[in-house]
Amino acid sequence: MLILNKWILFIDGSVHPQSGIGYGAYLAVKESDLSLDALSARVKVLRFYPTSSTRLELQTFLWALGELPSSARHVTVYTDSQNIIGLHGRRERIEKNNYRSRNKRLLNNADLYEGLFRKADQFNCSFVKVCGHQLSREKDALDRLFTLVDRASRSALRKEVRWKTCC
């Protein structure tokens, strides 16, 4: 079956735990657009505060989905976030327990989980786990595209943390 409006989404984030500052980055491309040279300029970066590493990955994912055109029908998400990859398998239990833990405490990031499930359904998302930090010689074309978002988020965070520590 041919799926029209099929997109690939690469997401990553970098956080400075001591300050609670994080930068999320994403790259959204139609499957037919996979040219490394032109795509590096299309990586989007956004600052999040306050955040944590887990929260940042979720915030970045929701932000990226919110930026996709409403005509997108299927999105394959590439991430190194084990939390996002594992959410699909935990979804039924999380929703059944009304976003609460066994001791009835509201889950950390419950608001983001709820939004993520809603958006993922809207865009018929599937997820692919990538190894975030491989040697260049071991990377395939998709790994190289993921590297663009990884570098963008780390670079943005480094610039801010360096600026705050020096000035």
Side-chain angles (χ1 to χ4, degrees):
M1 175 174 80
L2 178 66
I3 300 174
L4 299 177
N5 292 312
K6 190 170 183 178
W7 287 78
I8 296 176
L9 181 64
F10 299 89
I11 60 171
D12 198 26
S14 290
V15 69
H16 184 253
Q18 296 84 349
S19 66
I21 296 169
Y23 280 86
Y26 81 87
L27 172 64
V29 296
K30 282 195 164 191
E31 249 187 327
S32 58
D33 290 352
L34 298 177
S35 162
L36 191 60
D37 297 330
L39 293 177
S40 63
R42 291 179 40 192
V43 174
K44 309 275 182 164
V45 179
L46 184 65
R47 181 183 192 268
F48 292 92
Y49 175 83
T51 196
S52 65
S53 59
T54 300
R55 189 163 182 83
L56 177 63
E57 297 284 357
L58 297 166
Q59 289 168 313
T60 301
F61 180 48
L62 282 168
W63 165 56
L65 286 179
E67 300 273 306
L68 288 177
S70 59
S71 62
R73 294 291 173 246
H74 183 270
V75 179
T76 302
V77 180
Y78 288 81
T79 180
D80 62 357
S81 170
Q82 189 59 47
N83 184 41
I84 289 176
I85 294 294
L87 273 179
H88 179 71
R90 298 188 336 255
R91 179 179 183 170
E92 185 177 333
R93 187 184 76 231
I94 290 170
E95 290 179 330
K96 180 180 152 215
N97 293 331
N98 201 28
Y99 300 90
R100 297 192 175 275
S101 66
R102 289 187 181 122
N103 63 4
K104 307 299 181 202
R105 197 182 111 252
L106 190 65
L107 294 175
N108 291 337
N109 306 314
D111 57 329
L112 296 175
Y113 291 145
E114 189 172 9
L116 186 140
F117 293 150
R118 205 173 30 253
K119 283 283 193 186
D121 288 346
Q122 177 185 344
F123 289 105
N124 188 22
C125 291
S126 59
F127 300 90
V128 177
K129 175 86 164 88
V130 295
C131 296
H133 303 279
Q134 295 178 334
L135 297 173
S136 293
R137 68 177 178 268
E138 296 175 2
K139 292 181 181 180
D140 63 17
L142 292 170
D143 292 324
R144 284 191 279 285
L145 290 172
F146 181 79
T147 297
L148 295 175
V149 296
D150 176 56
R151 286 183 181 159
S153 64
R154 285 188 291 135
S155 176
L157 182 63
R158 271 194 220 110
K159 285 179 187 171
E160 178 161 341
V161 170
R162 191 174 324 138
W163 181 82
K164 287 185 183 262
T165 57
C166 77
C167 305

